[in-house]
Amino acid sequence: MTLPRSADVVVVGGGVVGCSLAYHLALRGLRDVLILEREAVGSGTTSKAAGGIRAQFSTETEIRFSLESIAVFERFVEEFGVDPGYRKIGYLFLVSDPVDLTGFQERMALQRRLGVDVRLLSPDDARGLVPALRVDDLIGAVWGPEDGMAGPAEVTAGFARRAREMGACIVEGVEVSAFIVEHGRVAGVRTSQGDVGTRVVINAAGPTAARVARLAGVSVPVLPRRRHIFFTEPFPELPGPVPLTTDRASGFYFRKEMEQLLLSPGDVEDVGADLAAPVDWSRVEETVEKALYRLPIVEKARVAGGWAGLRPLTPDDHAIIGWAPGVEGFFLAVGFGGHGFQHSPATGRHVAEWLVEGKPSLDLSLFDPARFARGARRAASHGPDAE
Ligand SMILES: Cc1cc2nc3c(=O)[nH]c(=O)nc-3n(C[C@H](O)[C@H](O)[C@H](O)COP(=O)(O)OP(=O)(O)OC[C@H]3O[C@@H](n4cnc5c(N)ncnc54)[C@H](O)[C@@H]3O)c2cc1C
């Protein structure tokens, strides 16, 4: 596809976030939207996501994002004509530390007030859900039966398909290399295929967001951190469905994917400036060790492969959504950490509303790009880093 020379809105990045943005902007009548994707749609960190979807967050804004997004996943086939494989397998958190449990209880009160079905289980009840679990060291478990999973590739394809049908343009294989800024205002972007004039650019560049922001002279604390997921050969010894189960003590999590078992060590690793995330096979040993402790039956499983990806974290683990300070016309939708896939439907809708109506209907100050200049960082009672 040839690159248009102008657009009302340019979105940098064709991941699940960029495609949701384009869809929702088009839905609200802003159809001259251009997504510029340096590789292929959905090939970025979206292709590495485990597909987990939960309402168990620690803030009202994020819980509302979850509830809105879950409603979209429930009707995704009808709205987008793509089956995302959405299933309510639930999220189960295994807790062995009393302080951790208190944090969960505080968050559960908020979640329940907002209508989330979340329950405190005994260790034995947890073993009722996952019979192979070791539970003798647990003091409880937190169970969200309405949580679940879906396919990130299918969801991204659904957003992209409908966005295109409504007039949005998606160009793959084109990299944004500079911003054209005149008198403190965005006037366009420079790309590997020439310039595009626009008065609004949205940074949806995932783990590369800080680098893209720097092209406009804006500093954004998006910190890409590597995480691994390994998978076993078909493992009927642990029949599905199995909830996405996180061992809070070690960070290890697992769930079933078809007949296989997905295992993640829950690693959070700085990979340095080149932002590459190759698989470090020495992580298999650590993963299997954590798995054997919590799920001894894994002894009978064989690891068949794995992958690694970058989660775009921020210092307080909340996303960054809003106008970038210092450059008019530059909007940020970045820093989604381990929950960018599941929050993509709500992110798209709220950002589109903000751009078209002039302000969002929900208070999005939690995501304020300027908060880090005021010293924002992770709160002690912050919720689980589950994916
Ligand atoms: C191992 C792992 C497990 C995860 N599990 C989950 C989960 O269970 N649930 C969940 O909700 N989330 C999960 N996540 C997080 C989720 O993958 C991300 O939050 C989400 O995919 C971010 O989407 P995005 O569109 O912002 O980024 P991306 O998908 O990375 O999209 C950004 C795009 O921008 C493009 N780009 C970058 N720079 C430029 C440029 N200069 N010009 C043009 N294009 C550019 C890139 O090529 C890329 O395609 C997981 C992540 C990892 C790594």
Side-chain angles (χ1 to χ4, degrees), residues 12-18 36-38 44-46 48-52 174-176 204-208 212 227 229 253 309-312 336-342 387:
V12 185
V16 71
V17 172
L36 298 177
E37 166 54 51
R38 65 181 174 181
T45 205
T46 295
K48 313 291 183 180
V174 56
E175 177 155 13
V176 172
T208 325
V212 168
R227 173 152 292 181
I229 297 180
Y253 73 81
L310 293 170
R311 298 183 313 142
F336 291 93
H339 48 270
F341 158 65
Q342 59 195 288
E387 297 88 6

Side-chain angles (χ1 to χ4, degrees), residues 355-376:
L355 265 57
V356 174
E357 315 289 337
K359 62 182 172 65
S361 55
L362 186 67
D363 175 4
L364 300 185
S365 54
L366 178 76
F367 306 128
D368 182 3
R371 69 190 187 273
F372 301 105
R374 300 189 297 266

Side-chain angles (χ1 to χ4, degrees), residues 273-298:
D274 64 357
L275 300 191
V279 175
D280 173 358
W281 292 105
S282 72
R283 290 272 180 187
V284 173
E285 199 181 322
E286 170 197 341
T287 309
V288 169
E289 206 171 289
K290 289 177 174 179
L292 283 173
Y293 180 82
R294 186 53 66 203
L295 203 61
I297 197 172
V298 162

Side-chain angles (χ1 to χ4, degrees), residues 142-159:
V142 180
W143 167 234
E146 296 291 306
D147 294 337
M149 52 164 283
E154 292 81 355
V155 168
T156 309
F159 284 139

Side-chain angles (χ1 to χ4, degrees), residues 3-4 9-15 33-39 169-177 189-196 201-202 204-205:
L3 187 70
V9 179
V10 168
V11 179
V12 185
V33 176
L34 170 64
I35 295 184
L36 298 177
E37 166 54 51
R38 65 181 174 181
E39 292 177 20
C169 180
I170 304 178
V171 186
E172 299 174 299
V174 56
E175 177 155 13
V176 172
S177 55
V189 291
R190 188 142 294 159
T191 81
S192 46
Q193 294 177 22
D195 292 355
V196 179
V201 175
I202 306 178

